[in-house]
Amino acid sequence: MKYQKGHRAGLPEDKGPEPVGIYSSVDRFGILHETELPPVTAPEAKQIRQEKKRKSKWLEMLGKWETYKNSKKLIDRIYKGIPMNIRGLVWSVLLNIQEIKSKHPKKYEIMKEKGKRSSEHIRQINLDVSRTLQNHVFFRDRYGVKQRELFYILVVYSEYNPEVGYCRDLSHTATLFLLYLPEEDAFWALVQLLASERHSLLGFHSPNGGTVQGLQDQQEHVVPKSQPKTMWHQSAS
């Protein structure tokens, strides 16, 4: 009910931690700072110029998606970094969000209503939402727009995939999607990232952590032989 009411919700103790100091600056990533930010450095200015050049290249590539979608050039450009101002558009294409939405019309809203009534994870989700990315302009306000969207996405996912239900790592992933995508698109992006054959990261969030354990076992067998110095540093630390 508090998330439905938004900023009008609750007593003072329900509004999350009080902000510390007066924020006078916001950086290009949306992070709030207590002190005025220094002038843009030469490397930062260079990065901004590079992003502008990369944006035009990405838009050209998206316009010829069938040509580039399985190409080495696509992989190379992803490693170089997707420009921030078109990141949501690119992620939407890479994760086939519009396609999966069209296959499940209204499913998100139906699961949202069901989750609000019956999800067993609501209390833990609420706690985690209140402390997620608190220094970002989007998530600073308790029961604000982005906090509400994050809460609903996590509640819906707990209904959509009861095998996983909810674990704290999901909130960080969903938050990242919400920085660049609308609410429902961010939910389907989460679904695609975890469950699609191409990405399949579900094992990292499953209750038994099987994928993580498998990677750890592989590291313990492979790294000592291929990277003995790295293993030595890990053991020393």
Side-chain angles (χ1 to χ4, degrees):
M1 290 177 63
K2 290 175 183 176
Y3 284 98
Q4 288 177 315
K5 291 179 181 179
H7 290 292
R8 295 173 291 131
L11 301 168
E13 61 265 24
D14 295 322
K15 294 183 179 179
E18 290 294 321
V20 179
I22 299 174
Y23 294 100
S24 59
S25 287
V26 180
D27 65 23
R28 62 192 291 257
F29 303 105
I31 303 298
L32 293 154
H33 297 265
E34 294 182 14
T35 58
E36 186 176 351
L37 294 173
V40 175
T41 63
E44 289 171 339
K46 182 180 179 181
Q47 182 181 5
I48 293 170
R49 290 195 300 271
Q50 285 178 334
E51 282 211 354
K52 289 179 180 178
K53 291 180 181 178
R54 287 174 183 162
K55 178 183 176 181
S56 62
K57 292 179 180 178
W58 270 99
L59 290 174
E60 179 184 354
M61 189 161 60
L62 290 172
K64 302 175 181 177
W65 186 244
E66 290 302 315
T67 301
Y68 287 103
K69 66 179 182 180
N70 295 313
S71 66
K72 183 178 182 300
K73 186 176 289 292
L74 172 63
I75 295 171
D76 290 342
R77 286 183 177 168
I78 289 173
Y79 274 109
K80 287 179 181 178
I82 303 170
M84 287 179 60
N85 54 1
I86 60 167
R87 196 166 288 170
L89 174 62
V90 174
W91 286 355
S92 182
V93 173
L94 289 173
L95 293 169
N96 297 318
I97 292 173
Q98 300 311 314
E99 180 182 341
I100 191 171
K101 277 178 66 178
S102 68
K103 291 180 179 178
H104 303 283
K106 299 183 180 180
K107 185 168 185 176
Y108 179 76
E109 291 301 323
I110 292 171
M111 290 189 297
K112 181 192 287 190
E113 293 306 312
K114 181 181 177 183
K116 286 191 291 186
R117 292 193 303 268
S118 61
S119 175
E120 64 186 61
H121 303 284
I122 281 180
R123 185 178 297 275
Q124 186 60 51
I125 290 172
N126 175 55
L127 288 173
D128 290 342
V129 166
S130 70
R131 51 199 180 199
T132 297
L133 212 58
Q134 293 173 314
N135 61 342
H136 195 283
V137 289
F138 284 178
F139 292 91
R140 182 188 183 192
D141 296 331
R142 190 68 176 111
Y143 306 112
V145 173
K146 286 297 180 181
Q147 281 205 8
R148 295 203 304 271
E149 291 180 356
L150 178 59
F151 174 80
Y152 290 137
I153 285 172
L154 297 173
V155 168
V156 173
Y157 192 83
S158 71
E159 289 294 316
Y160 178 84
N161 190 345
E163 179 186 349
V164 172
Y166 172 72
C167 63
R168 186 170 297 176
D169 289 347
L170 290 176
S171 67
H172 299 297
T173 307
T175 298
L176 185 59
F177 283 135
L178 276 174
L179 294 178
Y180 301 100
L181 293 166
E183 180 183 335
E184 185 177 353
D185 287 18
F187 167 76
W188 289 115
L190 185 66
V191 169
Q192 288 288 83
L193 187 67
L194 297 183
S196 70
E197 290 183 12
R198 182 168 189 174
H199 307 289
S200 191
L201 298 182
L202 187 62
F204 288 97
H205 303 280
S206 62
N208 60 19
T211 301
V212 177
Q213 185 61 50
L215 289 173
Q216 184 175 341
D217 292 343
Q218 184 181 36
Q219 175 181 302
E220 291 176 354
H221 286 88
V222 174
V223 174
K225 297 178 182 177
S226 62
Q227 300 289 335
K229 290 184 179 180
T230 301
M231 201 63 191
W232 182 86
H233 282 293
Q234 286 185 340
S235 301
S237 62

